[in-house]
Amino acid sequence: MKISKLLVQAVIAIAGVGLGPLGLAPAIAQPASSMANEYRLGAGDVIRVNVYQNPDLTLETRIGEAGIVSYPLLGSVRLGGSTVSQAEKAIADGLRTGNFVKQPQVSIQVLQVRGNQASVLGQVNRPGRYPLEVADMRLSDVLAVAGGINANGADTLTLVGTRDGKSMRKVIDLPAIFRTDSRENDLIVQNGDVIYVERAPMVYIYGEVQRPGALRLERDMTVMQALASGGGLNLRGTEKGLRVHRRAADGTLQVLTPKMDDVLLPGDVVYVRESLF
């Protein structure tokens, strides 16, 4: 048995890992990237702290606005902004340093997420504030929780928040998120972010068409496609009488004679005149 133990110690020493108490190798520390993806506790989160074989140290509490909780024997402990692993270590170190528990095994369970939230507004099915339950929750994840974009929503959204202490505003093309394998456009949502989905742009068609009225402007929609969406020309309509009324950048109204394959812009009004013959 003594020889076997020496062999184990030699193998571990060669691997660069020292033996802990009782001749057992300590747990290998998590990589920094894994720690970075952990959920960080925030003010308002409800947590349950358990210490193995010490039920009197079990505590269910809410993290205060300053990120502090009051824990038995330790008093005020700052947990806000820490990952769950870091918070467990902070309590375990306090119990060990104070000689309250020799080898504390602390586990923390997040019961309610209130400290890290993002707002989803505009043309979604369930607008509101939603908890960021994991550290790497992305735009697509948050939109799914909000029920997705409704029928009136545009295919772009605006993300407003703070990064590195600076205000950030980014307009994101939703279809572009799914065109490639890269998740570059599917940004990670952080605490306090606001996601706003605008109403889809509209064009208007009237005159001698089957169904005049407002139409959702699809991407790169042409005059022909708009007419088709309006049911096409009626018996009195003529393609020669097509006009597009468009508001210029300076606010003036332009009247254009379009081709069928011309692309429409938001707010355009397509007018179909009556045939004279």
Side-chain angles (χ1 to χ4, degrees), residues 90-110:
I91 293 177
D93 289 347
L95 293 173
R96 186 184 302 106
T97 303
N99 292 320
F100 301 117
V101 182
K102 287 186 177 180
Q103 292 182 335
Q105 299 180 38
V106 179
S107 64
I108 293 178
Q109 180 184 4
V110 182

Side-chain angles (χ1 to χ4, degrees), residues 67-82:
I68 294 174
V69 299
S70 179
Y71 190 74
L73 303 178
L74 301 182
S76 296
V77 181
R78 182 178 297 278
L79 300 182
S82 301

Side-chain angles (χ1 to χ4, degrees), residues 29 46 67 99 105 113-114 207 237 240 257 264 267:
V46 177
N99 292 320
Q105 299 180 38
V113 177
R114 292 290 182 269
K240 295 180 180 180
T257 302
L264 294 173

Side-chain angles (χ1 to χ4, degrees), residues 6 13 34 60 69 85-86 92 133 139 143 165 191 196-197 199 201 219 225 230 243 256 259:
L6 290 174
S34 175
E60 185 173 316
V69 299
S85 297
Q86 290 170 342
E133 298 180 351
L139 275 172
L143 286 175
N191 181 40
Y196 180 70
V197 181
R199 184 178 293 274
R219 186 168 298 200
Q225 291 170 333
R243 297 292 184 271
L256 310 173
K259 299 176 182 177

Side-chain angles (χ1 to χ4, degrees), residues 41-47 61-69 77 79-81:
L41 301 172
D45 287 351
V46 177
I47 61 173
T61 185
R62 184 183 299 274
I63 299 176
E65 290 299 321
I68 294 174
V69 299
V77 181
L79 300 182

Side-chain angles (χ1 to χ4, degrees), residues 182-202:
S182 172
R183 305 195 72 183
E184 179 182 355
N185 293 316
D186 197 5
L187 300 181
I188 293 177
V189 180
Q190 297 186 10
N191 181 40
D193 282 354
V194 178
I195 300 168
Y196 180 70
V197 181
E198 295 188 17
R199 184 178 293 274
M202 307 293 288

Side-chain angles (χ1 to χ4, degrees), residues 250-261:
D250 59 1
T252 59
L253 186 64
Q254 300 175 332
V255 180
L256 310 173
T257 302
K259 299 176 182 177
M260 281 294 192
D261 58 354

